[in-house]
């Protein structure tokens, strides 16, 4: 296991799923979050439908003499959500899965902007941060000054966009302002290592997006007419196996430029 497995804060511990890839980096970070001494914990992003991983998370919690009170999803992509229903079953009857997208819920209760989760005496505050996907959420754990960003901000590399670039830029700006206002101490991402300088990480993400947008704009001015043609220019030094994913992000940028023109 890498150093990512077991990292975290006083209240949050990462269990790394065994699904590494170019898109998932070292694998999906499943987060166990609980107040010290509390009997109930919250599990964020149980991960893919991998029985060994799901059982490992359940066994770690049981081994601490605790139980799962609630499962939360940062978003519905399968590497975060596909194992949620199975995990809820392993964790015991009646465990709910809450998500912004109703398709990924187990139970009637959703999850969205302004919600506060208090299971097991925790305080987790929910923000909607679309861009990576339309249903992306960020969780604020004030007791640890920790921001759980899902795939909105990763431990390294950059995020592929399925949603609208304008939404994503707005989410990054919001997270930057929020982290400064609340003096955030750490970002706990959905993939990769934790980030101990949230403002620097968010500044890097914002700067990178602006630079990429300028590169896309220049490629279009040079005659590129499709997302693929832009990728061939802007991502010429990137492994071609990643080009299909890059096309998603480029299409978001092209749409954004068209909206502004």
């Amino acid at each position: 296991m890498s150093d990512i497995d077991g990292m975290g804060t006083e209240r949050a511990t990462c269990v790394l799923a065994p699904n590494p890839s170019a898109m998932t980096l070292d694998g999906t970070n499943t987060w166990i979050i609980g107040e010290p001494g509390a009997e109930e914990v919250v599990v964020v992003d149980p991960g893919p439908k991998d029985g060994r991983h799901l059982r490992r998370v359940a066994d770690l919690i049981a081994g601490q003499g605790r139980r799962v009170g609630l499962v939360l999803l940062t978003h519905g992509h399968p590497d975060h959500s596909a194992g949620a229903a199975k995990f809820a079953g392993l964790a015991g009857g009646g465990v709910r899965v809450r998500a912004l997208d109703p398709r990924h819920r187990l139970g009637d209760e959703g999850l969205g902007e302004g919600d506060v989760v208090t299971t097991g005496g925790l305080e987790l505050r929910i923000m909607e941060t679309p861009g990576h996907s339309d249903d992306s959420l960020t969780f604020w754990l004030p007791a640890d000054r920790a921001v759980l960003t899902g795939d909105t901000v990763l431990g390294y590399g950059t995020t592929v966009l399925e949603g609208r670039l304008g939404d994503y830029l707005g989410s990054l700006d919001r997270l930057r302002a929020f982290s400064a206002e609340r003096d955030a101490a750490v970002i706990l991402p959905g993939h990769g290592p934790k980030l101990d300088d949230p403002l620097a990480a968010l500044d890097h993400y914002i700067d990178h997006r602006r630079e990429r947008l300028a590169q896309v704009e220049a490629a279009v001015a040079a005659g590129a007419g499709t997302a693929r043609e832009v990728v061939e220019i802007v991502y010429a030094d990137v492994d071609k196996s990643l080009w299909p994913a890059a096309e998603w992000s480029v299409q978001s940028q092209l749409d954004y430029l068209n909206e502004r023109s």
Side-chain angles (χ1 to χ4, degrees):
M1 287 287 179
S2 76
D3 292 340
I4 292 170
D5 193 68
M7 71 177 179
T9 62
E10 183 179 7
R11 290 165 180 80
T13 302
C14 177
V15 186
L16 180 63
N19 61 331
S21 73
M23 294 291 289
T24 60
L25 307 183
D26 306 83
T28 299
N29 296 340
T30 295
W31 293 99
I32 301 171
I33 307 177
E35 282 294 316
E39 292 183 4
E40 277 193 326
V41 301
V42 172
V43 172
V44 174
D45 291 349
K49 199 171 183 179
D50 181 303
R52 291 172 303 166
H53 172 66
L54 301 175
R55 173 53 68 185
R56 180 169 173 250
V57 176
D59 287 349
L60 280 170
I61 295 166
Q64 298 169 350
R66 305 202 284 184
R67 64 180 182 272
V68 179
L70 184 64
V71 173
L72 304 179
L73 300 179
T74 60
H75 64 298
H77 285 161
D79 57 309
H80 295 257
S81 68
K86 182 177 177 66
F87 177 75
L90 289 173
V95 174
R96 294 166 295 142
V97 177
R98 294 180 61 184
L100 179 59
D101 188 334
R103 293 175 298 176
H104 302 294
R105 299 173 189 166
L106 190 61
D108 297 329
E109 199 167 5
L111 196 64
E113 179 69 35
D115 285 346
V116 181
V117 172
T118 57
T119 300
L122 271 178
E123 181 183 340
L124 269 178
R125 295 189 170 269
I126 313 304
M127 295 182 282
E128 294 184 18
T129 49
H132 169 69
S133 64
D134 290 339
D135 67 334
S136 286
L137 299 172
T138 292
F139 306 146
W140 169 241
L141 177 58
D144 288 347
R145 292 164 41 224
V147 190
L148 286 89
T149 53
D151 286 2
T152 298
V153 176
L154 305 179
Y156 60 89
T158 56
T159 297
V160 171
L161 299 188
E162 275 188 17
R164 293 157 51 93
L165 176 60
D167 290 343
Y168 186 60
L169 293 174
S171 292
L172 291 179
D173 288 342
R174 182 187 183 193
L175 286 175
R176 207 293 181 185
F178 180 90
S179 296
E181 178 187 341
R182 302 300 178 96
D183 191 25
V186 63
I187 287 174
L188 305 179
H191 303 279
K194 65 187 178 77
L195 299 167
D196 293 319
D197 190 341
L199 297 185
L202 286 160
D203 284 341
H204 171 71
Y205 257 65
I206 292 165
D207 290 346
H208 173 79
R209 281 295 158 195
R210 301 291 182 187
E211 288 167 9
R212 276 290 191 228
L213 187 62
Q215 291 170 344
V216 169
E217 208 163 9
V220 170
T226 67
R228 176 67 180 206
E229 290 169 354
V230 171
V231 167
E232 289 172 358
I233 297 170
V234 174
Y235 292 82
D237 58 345
V238 173
D239 189 316
K240 288 186 179 181
S241 68
L242 298 176
W243 280 13
E247 281 189 60
W248 299 339
S249 290
V250 166
Q251 189 59 57
S252 294
Q253 292 172 87
L254 291 174
D255 293 342
Y256 178 74
L257 291 172
N258 287 333
E259 289 165 7
R260 291 172 60 200
S261 62

